[in-house]
Amino acid sequence: MSGMDASDPVLVAVGVTVEFGGIRALDGLSLEVGRGSITALIGPNGAGKTTFFNCLTGIYRPKSGDLFFLPGDGRTIPLTLLSPDRVTQQGIARTFQNIRLFNNLTVLENVLIACHCRMKAGLLGALLRDSRTMREEREMEEYSFALLDRYGLGGQVNELAKNLPYGEQRRLEIVRALATRPKLLLLDEPAAGLNDRETEDLAGLIRLIRDELELSVLLIEHDMGLVMGVSERIHVMDYGKPIAEGTPEEIQRDPEVIRAYLGEG
Amino acid sequence: MTGGIPNANGGVPKTPAKSLRPRLLGLGRGLLSSSFSGLWLALVAFPIVIMRFDATARSIDFLWERLPRLVAVCVAGAIAFRFLLRHKAMGAFRERLSLGASSPKGDPRGRLGRLYDGLSGGRARIPLAIALGLLLLCLPFRSNPYSVSIYTTALIYITLGLGLNIVVGVSGLLNLGYVAFYAIGAYTYALLNTHFGLGFWVCLPLGALAATLLGFLLGLPILRVSGDYLAIVTLGFAEIVRLVLDNLKFTNGPRGIPHIAHPGFFGLDLDKSVKPFLVGRGLLHPNTDLDQVLLYFIVLAVVALTVVCVHRLENSRLGRAWLALREDEVACQAMGVSRWRAKLTAFTLGSTWAGLAGVIFASQITFINPKSFSFMLSVIILSIVVLGGMGSIPGVILGAIVLILAPEYLRFFDDYRMLLFGLIMVLMMVFRPEGIIKATRKVREYKRHADGESGEGAPEEGAPEGAPAR
Ligand SMILES: Nc1ncnc2c1ncn2[C@@H]1O[C@H](COP(=O)(O)OP(=O)(O)O)[C@@H](O)[C@H]1O
Ligand SMILES: [Mg+2]
């Protein structure tokens, strides 16, 4: 297992608090994600997991607290002031709990759009189609195709995203996120709505991505089979606060976790 | 036996009888509720159709004899509409049922789409394009002046439609004030021409530039608001522009600017030098001026240029960002696209084409006043885009032709033109929201690298480089 070294985090959250009206969706959340690890974030519905992703990706601004991203080149990037597109440019990509593909565009175009921030062509390039623009365009098409082909969507490049079966839509969302060339990949319930076989494939895909692309994965998931199977470290939260942290074995034995999941019932 | 229908056999009621009753009941209820909708519609239309304001006598006449017809048309319309809606819902249901059986790759585009494919794709493409080009080139010479001016108008609207298509169709920004930029272009030329004697060719880029600049300046603040607010702000802006033009001394207020020059042709007077020659050989309609023909060709060239530009934009980094913006703003940003920059470029570039069209319009009719730039015009241009097909170049062209040429030739609809217009729009929105010609996406061909053949097990060979470029 690479990157289990806790002293080398890729992401650090310190006391992040988010409020909606009177509701505290996040209540002083602190956690670290180890570089190169697959880390899971679990907790009951409404615990604030998606809210945490939205803070990381610039959609919500926390009321207090800090978020730092360490891409691995020595920089420490504070995330709380960045807009969503800047966050992506810095190297954090995400998927959405409710699939958000560009439905009326082809699979390939979905991925090409994700290459946006790794391309340079501007208005003049688009209109004049000079050789530099065309070369870039061709390279990105080839890159996108290779990515799709590698991760199991090579046969559907010209299909409209909305016409894909559900499982492949989930997969496309992941591939699209990868095309932004992230250092940290955030997956929000990627197994929701998948059957057992598809969930198994997904576990394989997550491991493959991490190993091949040398990135870190932070995963929100309710499917315990998947969580326990792929993640090396698990954070459990409830009511916007972390309640436990550890390896899958430790978490499965933790009385606090068992109470949060099974208790009161 | 709770159904209540007396059954002659006394035995088990037959299934048709059992299912007929609720169906009849449903039909009756449907008819009743559509009739109510129809009456509502009639009530709303009452002031327009029945009441007539007599300006000289300062009184209102009631044309009661129209009432029965109004009610009949409204109720029949509402019933027909409900029927069509049901029909559509059933169609969708059936489609879903049969989805498993028929091939999912089955053409989802409808007959028109396939016909269009057949015409535009494959072998027929080049000869067809040449034939169409020749037709367009010959068209103005043999036509009477009235027809030439209609063709020119249609081409101007195509330009407008393609420009607004960038904003509304491709980027999904609802701009209801597009006509403001059209007005800016037209007034730029009119003022520069009548005050400073600048010619058409100098003013064409200047008018486009003025509209672009204004689009940019307006876009800076208002694109921060989203969705419906944008529609309202742009609508308000267009009204402000119209009111300003109406009240400025400098623009001659409501009286407008007359005597705007036609485009020049290298300083030659074509109608003196070349026209008699062409007419003598039967190559030109005797009443048609070459000035008009020249303008036709200018707009034709602008349209061709626009088509090329829009097509290139759509398949570029920038254009894809616009499409992403339309499809899903949140996801678009998550892909690293600056939402604000994408909006601003689309809005600004759209204005450029309105400015171009404005200059041409002013040079065509040689007299403009603020009345030429009413809100109605924005609606018509928007309808061209929506009716033709959002984001579809051939769709927008067809939409412009249908909406501009048809009313010109179908004068007898005059009074009800706008009503008909609204009706068509509503029907389109419900039954074919993607427009007459649906936008199609580019299909790309790929070959896997030879070493990737082994499939699943293939190691790093096929894998893209993971490291970020920067
Ligand atoms: N935009 C919002 N406005 C108001 N309340 C919100 C918003 N987003 C999330 N919340 C609230 O914050 C809490 C946490 O939600 P969420 O992060 O989606 O939970 P999870 O993803 O863990 O299921 C919930 O109570 C939810 O209702
Ligand atoms: Mg959630």
Side-chain angles (χ1 to χ4, degrees):
Chain A
M1 301 270 131
S2 61
M4 288 298 287
D5 187 359
S7 63
D8 181 21
V10 66
L11 181 76
V12 181
V14 189
V16 180
T17 300
V18 174
E19 284 182 2
F20 298 109
I23 305 167
R24 281 214 156 174
L26 288 181
D27 191 3
L29 181 76
S30 300
L31 58 78
E32 287 190 2
V33 176
R35 183 177 313 287
S37 73
I38 298 176
T39 303
L41 185 59
I42 64 173
N45 271 323
K49 306 179 297 293
T50 300
T51 303
F52 180 58
F53 272 20
N54 286 341
C55 287
L56 285 175
T57 52
I59 295 176
Y60 297 155
R61 198 137 290 171
K63 184 168 168 255
S64 62
D66 279 310
L67 291 160
F68 298 105
F69 173 52
L70 299 91
D73 50 11
R75 285 181 305 159
T76 301
I77 301 165
L79 293 174
T80 42
L81 295 176
L82 295 184
S83 60
D85 49 301
R86 303 282 303 164
V87 171
T88 307
Q89 281 165 30
Q90 295 298 343
I92 299 182
R94 70 173 292 180
T95 65
F96 295 89
Q97 184 173 343
N98 314 308
I99 302 178
R100 300 193 88 133
L101 290 170
F102 305 122
N103 274 328
N104 295 306
L105 304 181
T106 65
V107 167
L108 189 84
E109 282 171 327
N110 267 270
V111 177
L112 274 175
I113 288 166
C115 299
H116 184 92
C117 59
R118 309 297 173 214
M119 295 171 79
K120 294 197 179 65
L123 177 62
L124 273 184
L127 291 177
L128 300 177
R129 292 205 165 164
D130 54 306
S131 62
R132 181 139 46 91
T133 307
M134 290 321 278
R135 187 167 355 104
E136 181 186 65
E137 193 75 7
R138 210 169 42 246
E139 278 170 11
M140 285 302 158
E141 272 188 25
E142 270 163 26
Y143 167 78
S144 302
F145 180 70
L147 207 57
L148 283 164
D149 199 32
R150 176 63 185 157
Y151 298 122
L153 289 167
Q156 280 100 317
V157 283
N158 289 316
E159 202 68 53
L160 293 189
K162 66 177 175 195
N163 293 342
L164 288 184
Y166 186 80
E168 294 190 346
Q169 292 195 1
R170 285 253 175 236
R171 188 172 278 255
L172 174 57
E173 241 205 340
I174 295 175
V175 176
R176 186 181 67 170
L178 291 177
T180 67
R181 306 193 197 184
K183 283 288 177 192
L184 172 63
L185 178 64
L186 310 175
L187 301 175
D188 197 345
E189 302 196 17
L194 300 189
N195 60 32
D196 289 350
R197 252 220 65 189
E198 289 170 330
T199 307
E200 222 167 274
D201 289 347
L202 178 69
L205 178 68
I206 294 174
R207 274 193 221 103
L208 186 67
I209 287 168
R210 193 270 304 269
D211 295 342
E212 278 184 359
L213 303 182
E214 295 168 349
L215 43 76
S216 320
V217 178
L218 180 58
L219 167 77
I220 295 176
E221 190 46 70
H222 283 305
D223 186 309
M224 284 306 132
L226 179 69
V227 169
M228 298 303 164
V230 300
S231 46
E232 288 137 10
R233 200 139 194 95
I234 298 176
H235 294 266
V236 191
M237 56 187 289
D238 198 6
Y239 298 110
K241 271 191 221 143
I243 57 170
E245 188 211 330
T247 61
E249 295 76 32
E250 289 164 4
I251 292 301
Q252 273 165 317
R253 276 185 268 112
D254 193 305
E256 186 83 4
V257 177
I258 295 170
R259 197 180 52 75
Y261 266 91
L262 309 171
E264 292 121 37
Chain B
M1 299 304 296
T2 49
I5 303 175
N7 199 300
N9 301 336
V12 192
K14 283 178 189 144
T15 30
K18 207 175 176 183
S19 66
L20 197 62
R21 204 177 126 88
R23 273 181 65 182
L24 273 178
L25 263 177
L27 189 68
R29 220 173 291 140
L31 282 179
L32 203 66
S33 91
S34 330
S35 305
F36 269 122
S37 321
L39 288 178
W40 249 115
L41 201 63
L43 196 69
V44 172
F46 185 84
I48 308 170
V49 181
I50 308 290
M51 285 157 59
R52 173 130 314 168
F53 183 63
D54 190 338
T56 46
R58 298 190 143 266
S59 66
I60 295 173
D61 296 337
F62 289 88
L63 309 171
W64 291 113
E65 70 276 11
R66 286 186 173 188
L67 189 62
R69 216 172 48 186
L70 173 70
V71 172
V73 166
C74 286
V75 170
I79 290 172
F81 190 65
R82 165 177 289 260
F83 173 75
L84 282 171
L85 267 182
R86 268 192 72 91
H87 190 70
K88 185 194 175 192
M90 284 311 288
F93 182 62
R94 248 178 258 130
E95 199 172 89
R96 208 172 312 144
L97 277 185
S98 64
L99 202 66
S102 73
S103 83
K105 297 244 161 134
D107 194 346
R109 308 190 38 214
R111 207 178 319 148
L112 207 74
R114 254 171 290 153
L115 183 68
Y116 170 69
D117 266 3
L119 288 177
S120 66
R123 240 162 247 226
R125 196 176 200 150
I126 291 168
L128 208 72
I130 292 175
L132 187 70
L134 279 178
L135 178 72
L136 285 173
L137 288 179
C138 299
L139 197 58
F141 290 104
R142 305 309 305 270
S143 308
N144 59 39
Y146 176 64
S147 296
V148 176
S149 80
I150 291 178
Y151 300 149
T152 308
T153 305
L155 287 171
I156 291 177
Y157 278 87
I158 290 176
T159 313
L160 285 170
L162 288 171
L164 187 62
N165 177 48
I166 296 177
V167 188
V168 179
V170 177
S171 313
L173 304 169
L174 188 48
N175 181 352
L176 288 183
Y178 197 60
V179 77
F181 305 103
Y182 187 48
I184 296 301
Y187 268 90
T188 303
Y189 176 48
L191 291 171
L192 289 178
N193 183 256
T194 50
H195 288 301
F196 304 102
L198 290 185
F200 173 84
W201 293 107
V202 182
C203 290
L204 192 61
L206 286 181
L209 198 70
T212 309
L213 208 66
L214 200 77
F216 180 76
L217 290 178
L218 180 69
L220 274 179
I222 72 165
L223 290 173
R224 304 232 175 233
V225 307
S226 60
D228 306 337
Y229 298 110
L230 181 67
I232 293 166
V233 176
T234 47
L235 191 154
F237 173 73
E239 281 305 290
I240 292 172
V241 166
R242 199 175 56 81
L243 286 175
V244 167
L245 293 175
D246 228 346
N247 288 297
L248 278 186
K249 240 204 189 114
F250 170 62
T251 60
N252 218 7
R255 270 167 301 150
I257 304 176
H259 309 306
I260 306 165
H262 281 307
F265 188 72
F266 303 110
L268 285 177
D269 189 345
L270 290 171
D271 285 313
K272 281 226 178 76
S273 52
V274 190
K275 183 176 169 182
F277 174 79
L278 288 176
V279 173
R281 322 238 144 166
L283 291 174
L284 183 69
H285 193 286
N287 293 339
T288 304
D289 282 344
L290 276 177
D291 269 356
Q292 270 191 301
V293 177
L294 175 65
L295 191 70
Y296 169 90
F297 281 122
I298 292 171
V299 205
L300 193 62
V302 168
V303 167
L305 189 77
T306 309
V307 168
V308 171
C309 285
V310 174
H311 178 75
R312 289 187 166 195
L313 281 170
E314 270 182 344
N315 292 294
S316 73
R317 172 177 179 259
L318 187 61
R320 282 192 300 266
W322 293 341
L323 288 164
L325 190 71
R326 177 190 76 188
E327 292 293 308
D328 188 325
E329 272 195 30
V330 174
C332 164
Q333 283 183 291
M335 293 305 111
V337 176
S338 161
R339 175 176 63 169
W340 186 60
R341 196 181 291 179
K343 280 185 181 180
L344 193 60
T345 46
F347 193 81
T348 308
L349 262 183
S351 313
T352 309
W353 268 281
L356 273 179
V359 174
I360 296 168
F361 171 70
S363 80
Q364 183 201 12
I365 66 166
T366 69
F367 164 73
I368 56 169
N369 69 359
K371 270 215 183 66
S372 323
F373 307 101
S374 65
F375 171 60
M376 206 53 231
L377 196 59
S378 283
V379 173
I380 293 177
I381 305 166
L382 188 66
S383 312
I384 287 174
V385 178
V386 175
L387 186 78
M390 303 252 271
S392 152
I393 297 174
V396 171
I397 293 175
L398 192 65
I401 292 172
V402 168
L403 278 181
I404 302 308
L405 290 192
E408 291 288 351
Y409 287 111
L410 302 174
R411 279 278 169 204
F412 51 87
F413 277 128
D414 223 26
D415 271 351
Y416 296 97
R417 216 158 88 178
M418 284 301 138
L419 225 56
L420 201 69
F421 210 68
L423 190 70
I424 293 173
M425 292 304 291
V426 171
L427 289 177
M428 282 299 287
M429 287 282 84
V430 175
F431 298 104
R432 202 176 161 80
E434 63 272 39
I436 303 175
I437 299 181
K438 192 174 165 184
T440 51
R441 305 307 314 156
K442 191 174 162 192
V443 171
R444 296 168 169 92
E445 294 292 333
Y446 283 95
K447 273 187 265 149
R448 283 190 186 81
H449 292 297
D451 49 58
E453 272 177 339
S454 45
E456 295 293 291
E460 263 68 336
E461 304 287 66
E465 280 160 45
R470 294 189 282 172

